[in-house]
Amino acid sequence: MSNANSWDPARSAVYPLAPLPASALAGVRRRRIFALLLDLILVSVLSFAIFFGLGLLTLGVAWLFLPPLFPIVAFFYNGLTISGSSMATPGMKAMDLEMRLTDGSRVPFIYASVHAVLFYLSLYLFAPILLFSLFASDKRCLHDILAGVIVLRRA
């Protein structure tokens, strides 16, 4: 007897995507590292440009009161680029990667931003947690799993 309200493990799978072809995950870890380096450079340049520009506009007064801009810029950088039409940051795009939800759909802004926050927290608080992807068959890091996303090679 089946009840519509009963729990069905097949319907509530954590990873509902069909098995991915090997080409979708080929070289993803290595490419993510290079994409991260490119994105860190871009976010740093953007942060410095905003900091310098606001300082010039206010004749240096803003430099005394501005909070660290890197986390703010990184939050919006990741949220806007990943939720955009390319589904990737410029670094990911250069490395032929894209991010999707585990059901295969486009990542909304809030998911992409939360993913960035979880990544930076794991990077700064306990970096070895990033090694989790070495043991995951779909090459996802713990922050990917918590945000409900997967990084794939572009089709």
Side-chain angles (χ1 to χ4, degrees), residues 44-56:
S44 297
V45 167
L46 283 171
S47 298
F48 178 76
I50 292 170
F51 183 78
F52 188 73
L54 288 174
L56 287 179

Side-chain angles (χ1 to χ4, degrees), residues 10 20 23-24 28-31 39 44 52 54 65 78-79 90 96 116 118 126 133 137 147 149 153:
L20 295 167
S23 62
V28 167
R29 285 186 202 105
R30 181 176 30 88
R31 289 172 179 271
D39 288 331
S44 297
F52 188 73
L54 288 174
F65 300 106
N78 284 304
D96 200 30
L118 291 172
F126 192 65
S133 78
S137 62
V149 298
R153 297 280 303 268

Side-chain angles (χ1 to χ4, degrees), residues 8-139:
D8 181 10
R11 285 191 327 184
S12 63
V14 173
Y15 188 66
L17 261 177
L20 295 167
S23 62
L25 296 173
V28 167
R29 285 186 202 105
R30 181 176 30 88
R31 289 172 179 271
R32 282 184 79 172
I33 292 168
F34 288 120
L36 169 66
L37 295 175
L38 289 171
D39 288 331
L40 286 176
I41 291 168
L42 286 171
V43 170
S44 297
V45 167
L46 283 171
S47 298
F48 178 76
I50 292 170
F51 183 78
F52 188 73
L54 288 174
L56 287 179
L57 284 175
T58 62
L59 302 174
V61 175
W63 289 332
L64 301 173
F65 300 106
L66 280 176
L69 290 177
F70 187 90
I72 298 166
V73 172
F75 179 85
F76 285 103
Y77 175 88
N78 284 304
L80 293 172
T81 56
I82 290 174
S83 66
S85 61
S86 65
M87 295 183 289
T89 63
M92 290 170 66
K93 199 173 185 181
M95 293 293 122
D96 200 30
L97 297 172
E98 68 182 10
M99 186 179 291
R100 295 185 172 269
L101 290 177
T102 54
D103 66 1
S105 62
R106 169 173 262 139
V107 180
F109 174 81
I110 193 68
Y111 280 62
S113 300
V114 166
H115 178 265
V117 169
L118 291 172
F119 167 73
Y120 285 110
L121 283 175
S122 63
L123 182 65
Y124 293 121
L125 296 179
F126 192 65
I129 199 75
L130 296 174
L131 297 176
F132 183 84
S133 78
L134 296 175
F135 305 105
S137 62
D138 55 3
K139 300 182 180 182

